[in-house]
Amino acid sequence: QGRPEEQGRLLEHVDSLDATIRRIRVSIFQLERRATRQDGLQHQLLAVLEEVRPTLGLDARIDFSGPVDLALPGVLVDDAVAVVREALSNIARHAGARRATVGVDLTDDVLALEVSDDGVGITDSGRSSGLTNMRRRAAAHDGTFELSVPPGGGTCLRWTARVGGSSGRTPAWR
């Protein structure tokens, strides 16, 4: 039966525990929803691939590694999608490739994109606005942008960005 003040403290503790359990449930729900949301990086990149597949006219795939849909701010997702879209468009227009691969990896606080093809390699077409935008997008996130020619030919684009890098803002070129 106990004293009224002990019963009151016990009820306060029970109410506090109930509130904590509700907060935990909300957090779990938000994490699950974020993992399956359609505006996440994985879903958007798969949509880009389906969008450009008819133009590509080649075998293309995307491989994901790490929790790419849980930890990325919206501006970084937007920039990563734009980089992959531009890279695949360049392959479709210029590479003469039979295959293209996109690798997406989130390790620690670094998002890395690697887009490669087995086409003719990098050529100097005189225009580089798409490549310039990719460089700027990487720099806005304290990242890197590199183009290389693999030993077997083709092109390999590597783009990195730090999650929570210097850009919490939308870059001026948008």
Side-chain angles (χ1 to χ4, degrees):
Q1 306 264 343
R3 289 177 259 158
E5 63 268 5
E6 290 175 348
Q7 286 179 340
R9 279 193 307 230
L10 183 60
L11 288 175
E12 285 176 17
H13 289 299
V14 168
D15 289 342
S16 176
L17 285 171
D18 282 343
T20 300
I21 290 168
R22 280 193 301 277
R23 284 193 305 272
I24 290 170
R25 285 183 178 149
V26 166
S27 295
I28 290 169
F29 174 76
Q30 288 172 336
L31 285 172
E32 287 174 344
R33 198 173 109 222
R34 216 179 300 156
T36 60
R37 69 184 190 185
Q38 293 193 350
D39 62 341
L41 180 61
Q42 185 170 347
H43 182 271
Q44 287 189 50
L45 290 180
L46 290 169
V48 166
L49 182 60
E50 288 309 308
E51 171 190 317
V52 300
R53 193 180 297 274
T55 309
L56 281 172
L58 53 87
D59 179 34
R61 73 171 204 265
I62 298 181
D63 298 316
F64 297 93
S65 175
V68 297
D69 280 342
L70 291 180
L72 301 178
V75 68
L76 179 52
V77 169
D78 293 345
D79 285 341
V81 168
V83 166
V84 170
R85 176 177 277 120
E86 179 68 26
L88 291 173
S89 295
N90 285 345
I91 291 169
R93 286 191 308 263
H94 307 295
R98 292 181 319 252
R99 283 187 299 280
T101 303
V102 178
V104 182
D105 177 66
L106 179 61
T107 302
D108 298 325
D109 67 340
V110 177
L111 175 67
L113 306 176
E114 190 168 288
V115 183
S116 58
D117 67 68
D118 64 352
V120 297
I122 303 166
T123 59
D124 185 11
S125 64
R127 292 190 66 226
S128 65
S129 59
L131 299 178
T132 300
N133 281 336
M134 287 188 241
R135 278 187 187 88
R136 286 181 181 159
R137 289 177 194 276
H141 298 284
D142 298 330
T144 61
F145 175 81
E146 302 166 359
L147 282 175
S148 62
V149 178
T155 302
C156 181
L157 175 152
R158 182 158 171 79
W159 186 91
T160 65
R162 291 205 169 277
V163 178
S166 63
S167 178
R169 63 198 184 285
T170 301
W173 66 87
R174 289 214 187 147

